[in-house]
Amino acid sequence: MAWHVDAELLQAYEDGSLTPSRVMAVDAHVQACAACRASVPAEAAWLDRTWLAVADTLVADRPSPVEWLLRRSGLPEHRARLIAATPALRLSYFAATAAVLAFAVAAAHTGQTGARVTLLLFLVLAPVLPVLAVATAFGPPADSMHEITSATPMAGPTLVLWRATAVVGPSMAMGVVAAAASPGPGWWAAAWLLPAFLLCAGTLALATVLPLPTAAALLGGVWVLVALAVSTSAPLVQGALFGPAAQFGYLLAAVVAVVVLTLRRRHLDPGESR
Amino acid sequence: MTTVRMRDLRKRFGATTALDGLDLDIGVGVTGLLGPNGAGKTTLLRCLATALAPDHGRIEAYGLDPADSRQRTALRRRLGYLPQSPGLYPNFSAAALLDYVAVLKEIVDPAVRRAEVRRVLEEVGLSDRANVKVRKLSGGMRQRLGVAQALLGGPDLIVLDEPTVGLDPEQRMLFRALISRLGETRTVLLSTHQTEDVGALCERVVVIRGGRAVFAGAPRALAQLADGQVWRSAGRPGGGAVYWRTAEGDYRTLGEQPPDGVAVPPSIEDGYLKLLGPAPAGTTR
Ligand SMILES: Nc1ncnc2c1ncn2[C@@H]1O[C@H](COP(=O)(O)OP(=O)(O)OP(=O)(O)O)[C@@H](O)[C@H]1O
Ligand SMILES: [Mg+2]
Ligand SMILES: [Zn+2]
């Protein structure tokens, strides 16, 4: 025989730190080699423990990139797992958002009426993408397991707010990057942030009364209409809608939305009557 | 021992009335829920599983009222629920999916969670599929995985919406063994369209129609509703009675006695049809 189970290998085997294939190799060898068999403890409890450890390495999935990132940023393992399962936190969602924004940036750079196109795209798109993210962060139809989730002790406003935050953050960050990469006055890059936050908080507040997709469609739709109207009108109106006074108005409205959300948050629980 | 009380439950979806003043008490043991499509079984189970709030009425389960948010959370800690459409994430492996639900059930310690996942996989005979993605499992295996997630954390109240759909005969038998074992100490409420499931495994059966409980009692009592109305005959029965030709070549009739009919003991299905079915033409009451 070419090799035998030495002390080091035996120790690793006992600790359960071997890869499954090496465990199998050791097992196969020990079956065939009487000398090594004598050196391996055959106590039943020990065998059980070893096998459980091996089974665990087989069962444990590699964490998804999102979960890995969340854990890296210091979240406890179980919380990271909960957030990583958020439907909108799939890479595909971010890929789609990035593609839309990249298209907007490219269009802004090549457009004949560069500034105007940029304004249009950002006014319409940037605040709607986070709203879409919120709409797909929990509940039906985005979360196919919403019924099972509903019946668990974690269900309710806390989980919803964790998930909403987890999707809105990256979504807004991508918008900022895209805005910065576009031609046009610098203030555009930030001008949509308050409206976007208002729309997200408003959607969640409205979701305490209406189904989430309805709430998102309603607020997102209103925004698209207003943004289209504004972007085709005079620059004066644009200033009126994105100037300091308007921004202050968005801030106030957002505060109201947050207050409503806080007061009515228990209605985000599917088991709560509306 | 009564563990769950439901009083005057009402639930409407738009113009549809799904629950129409339903009263029901259930206790430790296995209770089966029968009823035609659209009777309100799923709506009832969703209300009990705290996934839906009734418009009206009261539920009390293990002394807890799901209308109150604290008590609802407390009830969720003691609850296992298999929805009619569980929507298990297709890209999760069986073990990862169970691990996720275990987190939702507040099993925070990873080692405890893994042990629990292993236990329920074992219970439903899926240990060898732990690492298979949900989308690669067969329909029956997926159904068993759905049952497994309901068992995580050892709940006292187990609510299963059509758990035996898609199970092969062997699995159906294993499922019955598992559920009846659970029923020794826990409250199990399951809906089904299989009257054999009810006969084999439920101490109690509840029939609902139009959002109300129209029968609650022992399966035997349900069968007895058709006492003296089930016949076997060599000749084809006349009239509009419900009958079919058996494998032995004679006829089995529910309703009016055929000319050469001999009375046979009714099955649960006979009692159920008698209770719900429109009276076969030709029979008199
Ligand atoms: N979410 C919903 N929206 C609108 N109508 C609904 C909804 N859920 C149930 N209903 C209606 O309520 C009634 C009861 O439905 P439920 O799903 O409770 O029946 P069921 O007894 O489970 O039927 P099945 O045996 O087909 O599963 C039906 O008329 C159904 O169409
Ligand atoms: Mg149903
Ligand atoms: Zn050797």
Side-chain angles (χ1 to χ4, degrees):
Chain A
M1 258 182 222
W3 59 281
H4 291 277
V5 180
D6 61 18
E8 196 185 331
L9 188 58
L10 183 61
Q11 189 58 49
Y13 183 84
E14 282 186 46
D15 295 347
S17 62
L18 289 183
T19 61
S21 60
R22 297 199 62 198
V23 170
M24 279 188 249
V26 170
D27 283 345
H29 176 89
V30 169
Q31 296 244 320
C33 169
C36 284
R37 198 155 55 235
S39 72
V40 172
E43 177 212 334
W46 173 85
L47 269 176
D48 269 359
R49 240 184 304 118
T50 310
W51 266 111
L52 288 185
V54 173
D56 275 349
T57 65
L58 288 172
V59 163
D61 266 71
R62 241 178 338 123
S64 70
V66 173
E67 187 180 334
W68 182 84
L69 242 154
L70 289 168
R71 264 200 240 174
R72 268 298 163 108
S73 67
L75 276 184
E77 185 251 15
H78 61 100
R79 178 135 284 155
R81 188 141 279 204
L82 269 195
I83 295 172
T86 306
L89 275 184
R90 313 265 154 78
L91 281 180
S92 56
Y93 173 80
F94 288 113
T97 304
V100 169
L101 288 170
F103 174 76
V105 171
H109 276 287
T110 58
Q112 297 273 305
T113 49
R116 195 160 201 96
V117 172
T118 311
L119 182 62
L120 174 72
L121 286 170
F122 277 110
L123 287 186
V124 176
L125 282 180
V128 168
L129 290 175
V131 173
L132 277 180
V134 170
T136 51
F138 62 94
D143 186 358
S144 63
M145 276 178 71
H146 65 94
E147 278 277 306
I148 287 177
T149 311
S150 298
T152 66
M154 283 281 182
T158 313
L159 182 64
V160 165
L161 293 177
W162 268 103
R163 291 199 159 159
T165 311
V167 294
V168 169
S171 186
M172 300 260 265
M174 286 163 86
V176 169
V177 170
S182 303
W187 61 268
W188 283 355
W192 62 275
L193 284 175
L194 267 177
F197 179 71
L198 166 61
L199 287 179
C200 290
T203 297
L204 285 173
L206 205 56
T208 64
V209 186
L210 300 171
L212 173 68
T214 315
L218 207 67
L219 285 189
V222 166
W223 175 259
V224 168
L225 287 182
V226 170
L228 282 177
V230 168
S231 56
T232 51
S233 64
L236 196 69
V237 186
Q238 293 165 18
L241 268 163
F242 286 92
Q247 296 288 353
F248 186 67
Y250 298 140
L251 184 62
L252 280 187
V255 168
V256 171
V258 168
V259 169
V260 169
L261 178 58
T262 311
L263 290 178
R264 293 188 51 87
R265 65 184 183 283
R266 68 194 175 90
H267 294 273
L268 291 173
D269 187 320
E272 184 75 31
S273 57
R274 298 248 161 192
Chain B
M1 191 185 73
T2 302
T3 50
V4 176
R5 288 187 183 79
M6 294 180 256
R7 288 290 173 274
D8 199 22
L9 288 193
R10 292 166 195 274
K11 181 73 199 178
R12 297 175 62 120
F13 296 102
T16 314
T17 302
L19 294 179
D20 188 18
L22 183 135
D23 293 313
L24 187 58
D25 283 359
I26 55 176
V28 168
V30 185
T31 303
L33 205 53
L34 287 175
N37 291 134
K41 299 180 297 297
T42 295
T43 307
L44 169 65
L45 297 180
R46 289 180 71 203
C47 287
L48 179 57
T50 76
L52 182 73
D55 299 335
H56 176 93
R58 217 183 121 72
I59 300 176
E60 190 198 296
Y62 285 92
L64 299 165
D65 176 4
D68 173 87
S69 74
R70 289 224 171 133
Q71 295 185 46
R72 180 165 61 235
T73 303
L75 176 57
R76 284 169 174 167
R77 295 200 170 101
R78 305 177 67 177
L79 177 72
Y81 173 43
L82 171 69
Q84 187 164 5
S85 323
L88 307 176
Y89 297 147
N91 289 325
F92 277 47
S93 71
L97 189 113
L98 291 172
D99 188 73
Y100 167 60
V101 177
V103 173
L104 285 169
K105 290 192 173 186
E106 296 178 323
I107 309 177
V108 170
D109 183 334
V112 176
R113 229 160 55 216
R114 272 198 291 274
E116 188 61 6
V117 166
R118 216 161 30 225
R119 180 184 72 82
V120 297
L121 279 171
E122 186 76 31
E123 294 265 33
V124 301
L126 281 180
S127 296
D128 57 336
R129 304 291 157 124
N131 295 305
V132 177
K133 298 257 193 248
V134 169
R135 71 180 134 80
K136 292 190 177 161
L137 292 175
S138 75
M141 289 178 190
R142 233 173 275 168
Q143 191 68 8
R144 278 145 66 191
L145 183 59
V147 172
Q149 65 76 29
L151 302 183
L152 285 164
D156 294 317
L157 174 60
I158 301 169
V159 177
L160 307 170
D161 203 346
E162 302 196 17
T164 54
V165 165
L167 297 189
D168 64 38
E170 187 195 351
Q171 284 304 327
R172 192 178 291 263
M173 202 193 68
L174 291 173
F175 174 81
R176 285 177 186 166
L178 168 65
I179 294 299
S180 55
R181 196 152 27 82
L182 291 168
E184 287 166 12
T185 52
R186 294 147 209 265
T187 305
V188 182
L189 179 61
L190 58 88
S191 77
T192 177
H193 289 294
Q194 313 290 141
T195 47
E196 312 95 79
D197 284 342
V198 171
L201 134 121
C202 301
E203 285 121 73
R204 235 166 132 248
V205 53
V206 175
V207 180
I208 72 173
R209 176 171 62 178
R212 292 161 172 269
V214 293
F215 176 92
R220 184 191 302 269
L222 179 57
Q224 277 165 359
L225 293 181
D227 246 352
Q229 301 180 67
V230 186
W231 315 94
R232 246 183 140 113
S233 58
R236 177 195 288 267
V242 183
Y243 66 86
W244 71 86
R245 201 154 168 251
T246 66
E248 288 81 44
D250 54 4
Y251 293 88
R252 195 175 189 280
T253 309
L254 173 64
E256 205 183 340
Q257 182 175 18
D260 62 340
V262 178
V264 292
S267 66
I268 294 170
E269 192 169 39
D270 294 324
Y272 173 80
L273 291 174
K274 201 67 220 164
L275 180 69
L276 292 192
T283 58
T284 51
R285 292 222 174 199

